[in-house]
């Protein structure tokens, strides 16, 4: 069982909390890097949300 499968199992039934976690993680990286990698962080967040089956649109598209 892959790590992603384990994570999917843990967040099953909690997609909003998972999305919040992805957003907070991306915000943390943006803050620590001064926003230097903002586009890459946004791309990673989108891909992670897609992999987790949570494809809600982002409110703050850059």
């Amino acid at each position: 069982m892959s790590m992603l499968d384990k994570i999917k199992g843990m967040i099953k039934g909690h997609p909003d909390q998972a999305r919040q976690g992805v957003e907070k993680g991306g915000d943390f990286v943006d803050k620590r890097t001064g926003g230097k990698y903002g586009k890459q962080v946004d791309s990673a967040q989108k891909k992670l949300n897609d992999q987790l089956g949570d494809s809600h649109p982002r409110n703050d598209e850059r």
Side-chain angles (χ1 to χ4, degrees), residues 9-54:
M10 290 180 356
I11 64 168
K12 189 174 186 176
H14 306 286
D16 291 335
Q17 289 176 336
R19 183 172 38 87
Q20 287 175 352
V22 170
E23 290 298 319
K24 285 183 180 181
D27 292 345
F28 175 78
V29 171
D30 276 339
K31 183 177 178 183
R32 296 289 289 185
T33 62
K36 184 176 180 180
Y37 302 102
K39 290 182 182 181
Q40 291 89 342
V41 170
D42 290 343
S43 176
Q45 287 173 315
K46 182 182 181 318
K47 288 179 183 180
L48 184 55
N49 282 330
D50 290 345
Q51 283 290 315
L52 296 174
D54 183 23

